[in-house]
């Protein structure tokens, strides 16, 4: 019984570590993609959200409805990227699931990555971590 418990605990810890490594690598890849485009950084100088979506994604429609619960200033900081229209951009960011949101700070560093639907209160907190100050 004790051996099984140790095996389960080991698998759980290994799974957690692998997931954290995946998120870290995804954030690095997205930051590199952002920095390759001088236009991306020069036209933005504030915390923002990159939101990868598709018309065929049911969860993306849910995410869009949740974005409506954000105030206008926060809504203006959300850049929608349609992966059907910009597949090369989605590939550059390493998008594997939809919806995916990246919270980017003023310096073009991806500070948070969300896979699936993200709630408005979580997004507000992540934007605050990225340096957004409500006006």
């Amino acid at each position: 019984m004790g051996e099984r418990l140790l095996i389960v605990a080991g698998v759980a810890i290994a799974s957690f570590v692998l997931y954290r490594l995946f998120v870290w690598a995804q954030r690095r890849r997205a930051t590199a993609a952002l920095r390759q485009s001088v236009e991306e950084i020069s036209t933005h100088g504030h915390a923002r959200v990159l939101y990868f979506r598709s018309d065929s994604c049911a969860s993306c429609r849910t995410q869009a409805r949740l974005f409506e619960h954000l105030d206008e200033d926060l809504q203006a900081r959300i850049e929608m990227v349609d992966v059907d229209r910009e597949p090369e951009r989605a590939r550059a960011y390493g998008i594997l699931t939809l919806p995916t949101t990246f919270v980017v700070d003023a310096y073009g560093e991806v500070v948070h990555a969300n896979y699936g639907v993200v709630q408005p209160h979580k997004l507000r907190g992540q934007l605050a971590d990225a340096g957004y100050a409500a006006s």
Side-chain angles (χ1 to χ4, degrees):
M1 177 74 173
E3 291 174 359
R4 288 183 184 173
L5 187 59
L6 284 175
I7 291 171
V8 169
V11 169
I13 290 169
S15 297
F16 176 78
V17 169
L18 287 173
Y19 174 74
R20 295 305 300 166
L21 283 172
F22 170 76
V23 170
W24 174 80
Q26 182 81 30
R27 287 179 40 209
R28 279 193 76 201
R29 183 175 183 173
T31 297
L34 271 170
R35 291 193 173 152
Q36 281 184 346
S37 172
V38 175
E39 179 183 310
E40 283 278 351
I41 294 174
S42 64
T43 58
H44 298 45
H46 52 77
R48 67 188 198 281
V49 175
L50 286 176
Y51 165 47
F52 291 86
R53 60 165 307 279
S54 172
D55 289 337
S56 62
C57 166
S59 296
C60 295
R61 289 188 287 276
T62 301
Q63 185 66 71
R65 283 193 301 277
L66 289 172
F67 284 155
E68 294 172 2
H69 295 284
L70 298 171
D71 62 53
E72 287 182 28
D73 186 45
L74 285 178
Q75 287 178 9
R77 293 176 182 269
I78 299 170
E79 178 185 347
M80 288 190 227
V81 180
D82 189 323
V83 299
D84 296 327
R85 292 188 186 107
E86 299 182 73
E88 62 286 338
R89 190 170 180 198
R91 218 175 350 270
Y93 283 86
I95 301 303
L96 300 175
T97 184
L98 295 176
T100 294
T101 54
F102 292 127
V103 178
V104 182
D105 68 12
Y107 305 103
E109 182 84 22
V110 175
V111 293
H112 293 285
N114 301 297
Y115 308 104
V117 175
V118 61
Q119 296 297 317
H121 63 84
K122 182 177 181 181
L123 197 58
R124 281 187 203 98
Q126 290 175 342
L127 278 164
D129 288 346
Y132 169 76
S135 48

PDB file of all heavy atoms in Angstrom, residues 32-50:
ATOM      1  N   ALA A  32       9.334  35.784 -27.039  1.00  0.00           N
ATOM      2  CA  ALA A  32      10.242  35.853 -28.188  1.00  0.00           C
ATOM      3  C   ALA A  32       9.488  36.261 -29.450  1.00  0.00           C
ATOM      4  O   ALA A  32       9.978  37.081 -30.236  1.00  0.00           O
ATOM      5  CB  ALA A  32      10.934  34.512 -28.393  1.00  0.00           C
ATOM      6  N   ALA A  33       8.290  35.733 -29.639  1.00  0.00           N
ATOM      7  CA  ALA A  33       7.479  36.102 -30.807  1.00  0.00           C
ATOM      8  C   ALA A  33       7.104  37.574 -30.755  1.00  0.00           C
ATOM      9  O   ALA A  33       7.122  38.262 -31.782  1.00  0.00           O
ATOM     10  CB  ALA A  33       6.230  35.229 -30.884  1.00  0.00           C
ATOM     11  N   LEU A  34       6.779  38.066 -29.566  1.00  0.00           N
ATOM     12  CA  LEU A  34       6.456  39.485 -29.418  1.00  0.00           C
ATOM     13  C   LEU A  34       7.647  40.364 -29.747  1.00  0.00           C
ATOM     14  O   LEU A  34       7.528  41.375 -30.425  1.00  0.00           O
ATOM     15  CB  LEU A  34       6.026  39.783 -27.980  1.00  0.00           C
ATOM     16  CG  LEU A  34       4.558  39.651 -27.650  1.00  0.00           C
ATOM     17  CD1 LEU A  34       4.359  39.744 -26.140  1.00  0.00           C
ATOM     18  CD2 LEU A  34       3.746  40.703 -28.350  1.00  0.00           C
ATOM     19  N   ARG A  35       8.800  39.982 -29.255  1.00  0.00           N
ATOM     20  CA  ARG A  35       9.994  40.809 -29.428  1.00  0.00           C
ATOM     21  C   ARG A  35      10.540  40.767 -30.843  1.00  0.00           C
ATOM     22  O   ARG A  35      11.282  41.665 -31.229  1.00  0.00           O
ATOM     23  CB  ARG A  35      11.052  40.399 -28.423  1.00  0.00           C
ATOM     24  CG  ARG A  35      10.608  40.783 -27.028  1.00  0.00           C
ATOM     25  CD  ARG A  35      11.696  40.703 -26.037  1.00  0.00           C
ATOM     26  NE  ARG A  35      11.198  41.256 -24.765  1.00  0.00           N
ATOM     27  CZ  ARG A  35      11.646  40.893 -23.601  1.00  0.00           C
ATOM     28  NH1 ARG A  35      12.606  40.001 -23.516  1.00  0.00           N
ATOM     29  NH2 ARG A  35      11.159  41.435 -22.505  1.00  0.00           N
ATOM     30  N   GLN A  36      10.179  39.767 -31.625  1.00  0.00           N
ATOM     31  CA  GLN A  36      10.624  39.718 -33.019  1.00  0.00           C
ATOM     32  C   GLN A  36       9.940  40.801 -33.843  1.00  0.00           C
ATOM     33  O   GLN A  36      10.445  41.214 -34.863  1.00  0.00           O
ATOM     34  CB  GLN A  36      10.341  38.346 -33.636  1.00  0.00           C
ATOM     35  CG  GLN A  36      11.346  37.319 -33.246  1.00  0.00           C
ATOM     36  CD  GLN A  36      11.102  35.999 -33.953  1.00  0.00           C
ATOM     37  OE1 GLN A  36      10.055  35.771 -34.533  1.00  0.00           O
ATOM     38  NE2 GLN A  36      12.082  35.141 -33.894  1.00  0.00           N
ATOM     39  N   SER A  37       8.809  41.236 -33.380  1.00  0.00           N
ATOM     40  CA  SER A  37       8.067  42.266 -34.097  1.00  0.00           C
ATOM     41  C   SER A  37       8.282  43.603 -33.407  1.00  0.00           C
ATOM     42  O   SER A  37       7.715  43.879 -32.356  1.00  0.00           O
ATOM     43  CB  SER A  37       6.580  41.919 -34.125  1.00  0.00           C
ATOM     44  OG  SER A  37       5.854  42.996 -34.661  1.00  0.00           O
ATOM     45  N   VAL A  38       9.104  44.450 -33.997  1.00  0.00           N
ATOM     46  CA  VAL A  38       9.365  45.773 -33.434  1.00  0.00           C
ATOM     47  C   VAL A  38       8.071  46.558 -33.341  1.00  0.00           C
ATOM     48  O   VAL A  38       7.841  47.300 -32.396  1.00  0.00           O
ATOM     49  CB  VAL A  38      10.403  46.530 -34.294  1.00  0.00           C
ATOM     50  CG1 VAL A  38      10.607  47.943 -33.803  1.00  0.00           C
ATOM     51  CG2 VAL A  38      11.714  45.771 -34.311  1.00  0.00           C
ATOM     52  N   GLU A  39       7.180  46.360 -34.298  1.00  0.00           N
ATOM     53  CA  GLU A  39       5.899  47.061 -34.311  1.00  0.00           C
ATOM     54  C   GLU A  39       5.075  46.721 -33.080  1.00  0.00           C
ATOM     55  O   GLU A  39       4.419  47.577 -32.503  1.00  0.00           O
ATOM     56  CB  GLU A  39       5.123  46.686 -35.574  1.00  0.00           C
ATOM     57  CG  GLU A  39       3.764  47.333 -35.668  1.00  0.00           C
ATOM     58  CD  GLU A  39       3.024  46.869 -36.907  1.00  0.00           C
ATOM     59  OE1 GLU A  39       3.612  46.926 -37.993  1.00  0.00           O
ATOM     60  OE2 GLU A  39       1.863  46.461 -36.766  1.00  0.00           O
ATOM     61  N   GLU A  40       5.100  45.464 -32.650  1.00  0.00           N
ATOM     62  CA  GLU A  40       4.339  45.039 -31.473  1.00  0.00           C
ATOM     63  C   GLU A  40       4.717  45.873 -30.253  1.00  0.00           C
ATOM     64  O   GLU A  40       3.878  46.287 -29.493  1.00  0.00           O
ATOM     65  CB  GLU A  40       4.602  43.561 -31.163  1.00  0.00           C
ATOM     66  CG  GLU A  40       3.892  42.607 -32.049  1.00  0.00           C
ATOM     67  CD  GLU A  40       2.457  42.373 -31.633  1.00  0.00           C
ATOM     68  OE1 GLU A  40       2.036  42.808 -30.552  1.00  0.00           O
ATOM     69  OE2 GLU A  40       1.743  41.755 -32.417  1.00  0.00           O
ATOM     70  N   ILE A  41       6.013  46.075 -30.050  1.00  0.00           N
ATOM     71  CA  ILE A  41       6.469  46.775 -28.852  1.00  0.00           C
ATOM     72  C   ILE A  41       6.314  48.279 -29.016  1.00  0.00           C
ATOM     73  O   ILE A  41       5.922  48.983 -28.097  1.00  0.00           O
ATOM     74  CB  ILE A  41       7.922  46.393 -28.532  1.00  0.00           C
ATOM     75  CG1 ILE A  41       7.969  44.910 -28.156  1.00  0.00           C
ATOM     76  CG2 ILE A  41       8.481  47.232 -27.404  1.00  0.00           C
ATOM     77  CD1 ILE A  41       9.337  44.352 -27.958  1.00  0.00           C
ATOM     78  N   SER A  42       6.601  48.803 -30.210  1.00  0.00           N
ATOM     79  CA  SER A  42       6.561  50.252 -30.389  1.00  0.00           C
ATOM     80  C   SER A  42       5.145  50.811 -30.358  1.00  0.00           C
ATOM     81  O   SER A  42       4.943  51.957 -29.988  1.00  0.00           O
ATOM     82  CB  SER A  42       7.242  50.645 -31.705  1.00  0.00           C
ATOM     83  OG  SER A  42       6.537  50.116 -32.803  1.00  0.00           O
ATOM     84  N   THR A  43       4.135  50.012 -30.717  1.00  0.00           N
ATOM     85  CA  THR A  43       2.774  50.525 -30.721  1.00  0.00           C
ATOM     86  C   THR A  43       2.073  50.310 -29.387  1.00  0.00           C
ATOM     87  O   THR A  43       0.984  50.796 -29.179  1.00  0.00           O
ATOM     88  CB  THR A  43       1.921  49.871 -31.833  1.00  0.00           C
ATOM     89  OG1 THR A  43       1.919  48.455 -31.627  1.00  0.00           O
ATOM     90  CG2 THR A  43       2.455  50.207 -33.193  1.00  0.00           C
ATOM     91  N   HIS A  44       2.700  49.564 -28.480  1.00  0.00           N
ATOM     92  CA  HIS A  44       2.122  49.316 -27.164  1.00  0.00           C
ATOM     93  C   HIS A  44       3.159  49.742 -26.138  1.00  0.00           C
ATOM     94  O   HIS A  44       4.332  49.581 -26.335  1.00  0.00           O
ATOM     95  CB  HIS A  44       1.812  47.833 -26.985  1.00  0.00           C
ATOM     96  CG  HIS A  44       0.810  47.298 -27.959  1.00  0.00           C
ATOM     97  ND1 HIS A  44       0.830  47.574 -29.284  1.00  0.00           N
ATOM     98  CD2 HIS A  44      -0.247  46.488 -27.794  1.00  0.00           C
ATOM     99  CE1 HIS A  44      -0.170  46.972 -29.892  1.00  0.00           C
ATOM    100  NE2 HIS A  44      -0.834  46.300 -29.019  1.00  0.00           N
ATOM    101  N   GLY A  45       2.752  50.270 -25.070  1.00  0.00           N
ATOM    102  CA  GLY A  45       3.681  50.605 -23.998  1.00  0.00           C
ATOM    103  C   GLY A  45       2.984  50.414 -22.680  1.00  0.00           C
ATOM    104  O   GLY A  45       3.286  51.089 -21.713  1.00  0.00           O
ATOM    105  N   HIS A  46       2.039  49.505 -22.692  1.00  0.00           N
ATOM    106  CA  HIS A  46       1.233  49.285 -21.492  1.00  0.00           C
ATOM    107  C   HIS A  46       0.863  47.810 -21.403  1.00  0.00           C
ATOM    108  O   HIS A  46       0.991  47.067 -22.366  1.00  0.00           O
ATOM    109  CB  HIS A  46      -0.027  50.145 -21.541  1.00  0.00           C
ATOM    110  CG  HIS A  46      -0.804  49.993 -22.819  1.00  0.00           C
ATOM    111  ND1 HIS A  46      -1.614  48.911 -23.078  1.00  0.00           N
ATOM    112  CD2 HIS A  46      -0.861  50.773 -23.929  1.00  0.00           C
ATOM    113  CE1 HIS A  46      -2.152  49.045 -24.277  1.00  0.00           C
ATOM    114  NE2 HIS A  46      -1.712  50.152 -24.823  1.00  0.00           N
ATOM    115  N   ALA A  47       0.422  47.424 -20.227  1.00  0.00           N
ATOM    116  CA  ALA A  47      -0.019  46.038 -20.038  1.00  0.00           C
ATOM    117  C   ALA A  47      -1.222  45.780 -20.934  1.00  0.00           C
ATOM    118  O   ALA A  47      -2.073  46.647 -21.118  1.00  0.00           O
ATOM    119  CB  ALA A  47      -0.375  45.803 -18.579  1.00  0.00           C
ATOM    120  N   ARG A  48      -1.261  44.558 -21.490  1.00  0.00           N
ATOM    121  CA  ARG A  48      -2.365  44.221 -22.379  1.00  0.00           C
ATOM    122  C   ARG A  48      -2.555  42.711 -22.423  1.00  0.00           C
ATOM    123  O   ARG A  48      -1.779  41.963 -21.852  1.00  0.00           O
ATOM    124  CB  ARG A  48      -2.136  44.777 -23.767  1.00  0.00           C
ATOM    125  CG  ARG A  48      -0.972  44.151 -24.501  1.00  0.00           C
ATOM    126  CD  ARG A  48      -0.718  44.912 -25.795  1.00  0.00           C
ATOM    127  NE  ARG A  48       0.074  44.197 -26.745  1.00  0.00           N
ATOM    128  CZ  ARG A  48       1.386  44.073 -26.706  1.00  0.00           C
ATOM    129  NH1 ARG A  48       2.050  44.613 -25.729  1.00  0.00           N
ATOM    130  NH2 ARG A  48       2.037  43.411 -27.636  1.00  0.00           N
ATOM    131  N   VAL A  49      -3.588  42.295 -23.142  1.00  0.00           N
ATOM    132  CA  VAL A  49      -3.922  40.879 -23.256  1.00  0.00           C
ATOM    133  C   VAL A  49      -3.940  40.501 -24.731  1.00  0.00           C
ATOM    134  O   VAL A  49      -4.563  41.191 -25.543  1.00  0.00           O
ATOM    135  CB  VAL A  49      -5.315  40.585 -22.637  1.00  0.00           C
ATOM    136  CG1 VAL A  49      -5.716  39.134 -22.857  1.00  0.00           C
ATOM    137  CG2 VAL A  49      -5.340  40.937 -21.166  1.00  0.00           C
ATOM    138  N   LEU A  50      -3.256  39.422 -25.069  1.00  0.00           N
ATOM    139  CA  LEU A  50      -3.374  38.820 -26.398  1.00  0.00           C
ATOM    140  C   LEU A  50      -4.326  37.648 -26.244  1.00  0.00           C
ATOM    141  O   LEU A  50      -4.095  36.755 -25.428  1.00  0.00           O
ATOM    142  CB  LEU A  50      -2.023  38.313 -26.894  1.00  0.00           C
ATOM    143  CG  LEU A  50      -1.015  39.356 -27.341  1.00  0.00           C
ATOM    144  CD1 LEU A  50       0.298  38.680 -27.705  1.00  0.00           C
ATOM    145  CD2 LEU A  50      -1.541  40.130 -28.530  1.00  0.00           C
TER     146      LEU A  50
END
